[in-house]
Each structure stands twice: as C-alpha cells, then as structure tokens.
Amino acid sequence: MPETKEKSQLVSISYSDLVRFAETTHSSSFTEKDRLLVLEKIGLAFGSGDDCLGILAVTDVPDLDQYRQTLLPLAQTLATLPTSDLEKVIDYKSGFQSGWSHGKEKVEGDKFDTGKGSFYANPLMDDITKDLKDQTVDKQIIEENPAFFAPNVWPTESIPAFESAFKDLGQLVVQVGRLLARPCDAYVKKTCGETYRSDKLFSVINESRFCKARLLHYFAMDTLTNDNDEKQESTSQDTDFSDWCGWHNDHGSLTGLVPAIFLDADGNQVNCPDNEAGLYIKSRSGSVVHASLPPGSLGFQIGETSQIHTGGVLQATPHAVRGVRSSTSPRITRESFAVFMEPDFFGDMDIHVAGKTVEDTQRREAEKHLPATVRTLRSRWKPGMNFGEFSNATFAAFY
C-alpha cells in the first residue's frame, strides 16, 4: 500500500508577488530577498526533489471567484442536457478533443473512463485556421491532426451564457500562467546557469495558439457502473484514489486548475460530504498526497513538456481524482476546470539545458514509483520530435 498523507499544505505564491516579480524594476516594497523567496517556492513545488508535488497555488487572484461561480455550475447543466442537444457539440473528427466527450478516454488499462464528462475548447481563439493572418500550416497537416486544429463548437442554443463564461475563466487562467512562467524560467536559469534560454516557458505560454481548456463534470458515484468497484479490487493499490479520474501526467507545458465545486442533484452548491474525495498526487518517492487548493486560489501543475525542456529541473507528477463516497449524501457531482498551456504543433521538444540527457529528464528511480497505468516519458518521447508528434503519441496511449 503506498504511503498516504493527510491533506498537504501546498506551496503558494500570491498573485501580487507574481505581478511584482515580473516588473523589470524592483520597487522598495519587493526586494531581491522577496524575489529569491519566490524562486525558492518554485523549487519546492516544481523541482526535482523526491517530495516535490509538481503543483503550486497562486492566491488572491482577482475576479476568480466571480468567473468560477459563473462557469462551473454550467458543467452540470451541460452534462444533463438531452442527448440530442449534446450530439450537436460532439466533434467525432477531432477524436473528441473539441466539444463534448464522455467515455472515450482510456486512463487506466483498457477501461473507458465513464466517471466524468468533458467539454474542450480553445479559450483564446475559436478557429486557429481562420483567426490567424500568418497561418502557414500545410492543409494536409491540418487534415491529419484534427485534434489540434478543430474549431470550437459551443452549446449556444441550449446554454447561451456558456461561451462567454468559458472564455472569461480560461483567459484569466492563461494570464496568471504567464505571470507564473517568469519565476519558473528564472528558477531554471538560476539552477543551470546561462545554458538555459531565459524565457522558454513564458514564450510558450505567451506565443502559442494551441491552448486547450477542459470543463469537467464528474458524475455522482452512485450513478456509475460497477467498473469503479472492479478498479478498487484490482492488483494496484493506486486505484483506491482514482475512481473519478485515473492516474495520469499532463503532457503540456503548464496546467491551470480552478478549485472544484460540488453540486447536488438539483444544482445547489454543497460542501463536499467526503473528506477523502478530491485531487491526489503521487510524489517521486511514491507517497500519495491529498492536495487541496486554498480558497480564492488557482492551482498550477508542471507538464511533461516543461520537464523535457528543462532536462528534468522542473517535473510533472502523476495525479488522479477520488470520487465522493457518502451514503448520507448521494448524487453529489464535482465540477472543475483545467487549462492546458502548451506549444504550437511544430513547437520543439528538445532539452534546452546544455549537458542534460534523456536520463536526467526522467530518472529510472522515479519511473519505479509511477502508477502502473502512467506511461514513461521515454516510451512516448524521443529527441527531435515536435510537440504535435509527442501529443499524438500520448493520445494514442490513452485513447
């Protein structure tokens, strides 16, 4: 049985400190000591140490609560629409990477993940192939990779407020992600010296057109099939923590997480009735940690692309979601939102720190502690790939 800890107190940085860190001139109220403290927190959260969790909370984010309360209840509204309405926002051609998706993803073994439904869209632009004046991507590339280039589809007829609410929250997360990227880059440069490009992560988030956001509705546990019971009886104890969402790593550069809300069957917001439900993270030492975001904060997780770019200085960690198990409060659903910030299709997947190797990017010792269903980096990534190729290899492993 993996070691299980109590809810972890996540490393946190205030939004105002990120703003001041990004300023080119230091104010008297934000000293060099303050900057070094921010860098220290980046290392504690995202670094390569055995107890680093790969997640950090940004606190006191302006407008977050308003946008969160507007969008997240719509996840349940969407998931409970008539099948005929949901069919209008299913994009089969994109491999369910645009619009509504339910039961199409394989996260643990050969079982389809039916515990949650997802709605995917790019919060920055509706159609990459039409919105960009400088578009030079070959038509064949677009046709062969619909998961990247599919335009957004919106449930406008059924939920008129959906599109604006989705974009407002998604763009806020990206804006905070840009701020966080600055100290992440500075930490890698401080650790590795001049061999690292000083703005690699920031440039990805600031320049990329391929951002993808995912609104998630986790179905009430008592409405699901017995697949979840079978998972708990499997040979891996890791599945004790993953009945709402299986163990996985994010493969992009940086993921922004909005704290979840819980709703009853009538759509009323309730406190979670199960203290064990929620996000779990597996550290590189094999410990399983229950992670809880502070109120008014956004969570950010390092993705595998940043792990590759930094030669393992920043590292992703496997995470999963455990469902609500409560006999006194049945029919509780979880609504959440994640934004995946990642390179353009042709973005490089090279190590950007001189002297770092594939072995540095993911140590063999760390691989031993991966959940059984999380594929190693070396099984999906080879130097010289672009991000599109890496993503397709990752999709093939899970879909």
Side-chain angles (χ1 to χ4, degrees), residues 35-102:
R35 289 175 63 84
L36 291 175
L37 179 59
V38 170
L39 297 184
E40 180 183 350
K41 289 181 176 181
I42 295 294
L44 290 173
F46 296 150
S48 58
D50 285 345
D51 293 325
C52 296
L53 297 180
I55 186 171
L56 180 145
V58 177
T59 60
D60 304 318
V61 178
D63 298 323
L64 172 60
D65 189 60
Q66 174 191 341
Y67 291 161
R68 172 176 172 261
Q69 292 295 339
T70 300
L71 177 64
L72 294 194
L74 298 182
Q76 187 188 71
T77 305
L78 178 71
T80 54
L81 286 175
T83 302
S84 58
D85 289 341
L86 284 174
E87 189 69 26
K88 297 175 182 178
V89 287
I90 296 177
D91 188 339
Y92 293 91
K93 186 178 179 181
S94 72
F96 308 97
Q97 292 296 302
S98 179
W100 175 250
S101 173
H102 178 226

Side-chain angles (χ1 to χ4, degrees), residues 218-348:
Y218 296 82
F219 292 90
M221 290 293 295
D222 57 315
T223 66
L224 302 180
T225 68
N226 291 328
D227 285 351
N228 291 305
D229 295 331
E230 294 172 11
K231 286 168 70 175
Q232 292 175 34
E233 295 171 2
S234 71
T235 56
S236 174
Q237 296 288 348
D238 290 324
T239 55
D240 288 344
F241 306 98
S242 59
D243 43 17
W244 250 351
C245 178
W247 288 101
H248 65 286
N249 277 347
D250 294 338
H251 76 281
S253 299
L254 185 68
T255 302
L257 301 174
V258 174
I261 65 171
F262 295 85
L263 301 177
D264 64 19
D266 297 320
N268 300 309
Q269 191 165 332
V270 298
N271 293 326
C272 179
D274 181 0
N275 290 332
E276 299 301 315
L279 177 67
Y280 282 80
I281 295 172
K282 195 169 190 183
S283 73
R284 283 173 281 283
S285 63
S287 298
V288 176
V289 178
H290 190 183
S292 181
L293 291 171
S297 68
L298 286 173
F300 286 90
Q301 291 181 290
I302 283 293
E304 291 175 328
T305 294
S306 290
Q307 184 169 336
I308 291 167
H309 285 161
T310 65
V313 176
L314 305 178
Q315 293 199 14
T317 48
H319 48 284
V321 180
R322 175 176 170 141
V324 171
R325 305 172 186 177
S326 174
S327 59
T328 59
S329 301
R331 302 284 171 140
I332 300 300
T333 65
R334 181 180 189 262
E335 325 302 326
S336 67
F337 187 66
V339 180
F340 305 97
M341 291 158 271
E342 55 196 33
D344 285 348
F345 183 88
F346 291 107
D348 76 83

Side-chain angles (χ1 to χ4, degrees), residues 1-55:
M1 180 78 175
E3 178 190 353
T4 306
K5 297 181 179 179
E6 298 297 324
K7 284 192 176 182
S8 174
Q9 184 68 38
L10 299 184
V11 177
S12 64
I13 300 174
S14 71
Y15 175 86
S16 60
D17 278 353
L18 289 180
V19 171
R20 289 184 289 181
F21 188 96
E23 294 174 351
T24 54
T25 58
H26 298 176
S27 66
S28 59
S29 62
F30 196 74
T31 65
E32 183 63 22
K33 183 178 179 180
D34 295 325
R35 289 175 63 84
L36 291 175
L37 179 59
V38 170
L39 297 184
E40 180 183 350
K41 289 181 176 181
I42 295 294
L44 290 173
F46 296 150
S48 58
D50 285 345
D51 293 325
C52 296
L53 297 180
I55 186 171

